[in-house]
Amino acid sequence: MPSITTCRDALELAVRAPSVHNTQPWRWRIQRGRVDLFADFGRQVTATDPLARALVVSCGAALHHLEVAFAMLGWQAEIDRLPDPDRPDHLAKVRFTPRPPSDLDIRLAAAIHLRRSDRRRYPGMPVPARDLRAVSRCASGFGAAARHVPDSMLSELAAPMRRAAARHATDTNYLAELEQWSGCHGEPNGVPARNAPAARSSDELPVRVFSESELSEYTDEPDSAHWLVVCTPHDNRVSQLRAGQATSAILLQATYLGLATSLQSEPLGMLDLRDQIRTTVLQKCAYPHVMIRVGVMPPAAAPLESTPRRPVTEVIETA
């Protein structure tokens, strides 16, 4: 079984997972022969994510990061999702069996360190179709799918995104919450101003605007991002967890392929707008959990600093 030191090393990578507003809403417990994942509902952003869907998706992303980290360290994770019906915060129980790491395991673990949420406009450099197919396929291993939204349907995605942005612009609770979690300088959580660009009202598909912004755009041209909608056939907590795992797999594969990515979920916290996306974009065949922008940033673009994380000692306990 993995040692305590090995578990801590793996968790150092797991907590690099993306989360809504970089709230890092997870807790971990290391026990003999296993690691348990718990949702930290005290870090829920209730105006942004009133039903805690994005919180659980965030935890699912961290769960997949953990799986990748252990694979690189020579252990295969065996995941039991929602193991305790009396503990809704107990999201997963993870046990391990030894397995030599593959080259892909090592590359994906390296991608954890390289991945950034790049919220800038993506210039018009083409994304190879084979790469889009490769990242989309990653979702299927988790009982999820990643629907690539074709250009002809982008207006169907843009409409609820614009409605969400307009509502949030006058929602005092949301704006206060956003102020708390953005423009951060030196804090170990939240979205730093250095990683947030200014509002882009001219773009067809608006991205979430944070309260402070210091990140310069690489291009003034319209954003040329491709959009993926991560979705599942069912709409429950297990599905949210699986969607988070699929999201992490997509992001790491995209990073490995040299693609830029960022997550968007603003309209999905509103029931009517989420249902609109399900009806128009997904044809009522699945439930949306998160949208992913995918594009290419040229080497000449200024590199992004990593967003901060809480020390792993703050989010783990040893039984």
Side-chain angles (χ1 to χ4, degrees):
M1 65 186 68
S3 66
I4 297 295
T5 299
T6 297
C7 291
R8 289 178 180 269
D9 289 344
L11 286 167
E12 288 278 3
L13 290 181
V15 300
R16 295 302 313 168
S19 58
V20 57
H21 293 1
N22 193 26
T23 49
Q24 305 162 56
W26 42 65
R27 295 180 295 108
W28 307 86
R29 180 184 298 156
I30 302 173
Q31 303 188 66
R32 183 174 176 83
R34 78 177 207 232
V35 174
D36 289 52
L37 168 63
F38 296 86
D40 186 349
F41 290 111
R43 299 180 77 82
Q44 180 182 356
V45 281
T46 54
T48 301
D49 180 31
L51 298 179
R53 284 196 182 100
L55 185 152
V56 177
V57 170
S58 300
C59 289
L63 181 61
H64 179 259
H65 269 46
L66 183 78
E67 183 178 3
V68 169
F70 268 107
M72 181 267 296
L73 293 168
W75 297 91
Q76 180 174 333
E78 300 171 356
I79 299 172
D80 180 12
R81 300 174 185 86
L82 304 186
D84 186 350
D86 296 325
R87 288 287 306 270
D89 64 330
H90 193 180
L91 298 182
K93 181 188 301 181
V94 190
R95 291 187 171 89
F96 308 96
T97 55
R99 189 201 68 180
S102 67
D103 289 345
L104 181 60
D105 293 331
I106 294 169
R107 290 168 182 166
L108 292 180
I112 291 177
H113 287 292
L114 297 174
R115 186 200 64 82
R116 302 286 187 269
S117 292
D118 196 335
R119 301 176 178 88
R120 295 174 292 186
R121 287 189 182 99
Y122 300 155
M125 300 176 66
V127 178
R130 65 179 181 277
D131 287 353
L132 282 175
R133 290 194 296 270
V135 298
S136 297
R137 282 197 300 267
C138 292
S140 61
F142 303 93
R147 169 72 188 278
H148 178 224
V149 183
D151 291 348
S152 61
M153 293 189 66
L154 285 178
S155 61
E156 303 288 357
L157 188 59
M161 292 178 72
R162 289 192 173 278
R163 290 178 64 189
R167 290 181 192 177
H168 279 158
T170 58
D171 184 336
T172 56
N173 290 331
Y174 172 83
L175 294 174
E177 186 175 82
L178 196 68
E179 179 76 21
Q180 177 185 356
W181 291 98
S182 60
C184 303
H185 296 272
E187 293 88 346
N189 42 225
V191 178
R194 67 174 185 263
N195 290 83
R200 305 196 297 254
S201 57
S202 61
D203 286 354
E204 181 182 5
L205 286 88
V207 298
R208 194 190 301 273
V209 179
F210 292 91
S211 62
E212 291 187 39
S213 57
E214 297 176 356
L215 180 60
S216 299
E217 294 283 359
Y218 174 77
T219 180
D220 293 329
E221 299 174 3
D223 185 33
S224 64
H226 294 267
W227 287 79
L228 305 177
V229 180
V230 179
C231 53
T232 58
H234 305 290
D235 191 22
N236 50 36
R237 184 147 292 175
V238 170
S239 297
Q240 294 157 16
L241 201 58
R242 288 182 176 276
Q245 291 177 270
T247 297
S248 167
I250 290 168
L251 295 177
L252 296 184
Q253 179 69 16
T255 300
Y256 165 59
L257 293 172
L259 302 175
T261 57
S262 69
L263 301 182
Q264 298 295 322
S265 61
E266 188 166 9
L268 299 179
M270 304 175 184
L271 291 177
D272 61 325
L273 300 185
R274 182 173 186 254
D275 189 61
Q276 183 177 348
I277 291 171
R278 178 175 182 258
T279 299
T280 58
V281 177
L282 301 178
Q283 303 294 304
K284 292 189 176 182
C285 293
Y287 295 88
H289 297 282
V290 69
M291 291 97 73
I292 303 178
R293 296 172 64 240
V294 181
V296 176
M297 289 296 283
L304 298 178
E305 295 184 49
S306 61
T307 51
R309 293 295 187 274
R310 293 187 287 166
V312 71
T313 53
E314 291 187 9
V315 297
I316 65 174
E317 61 182 76
T318 303

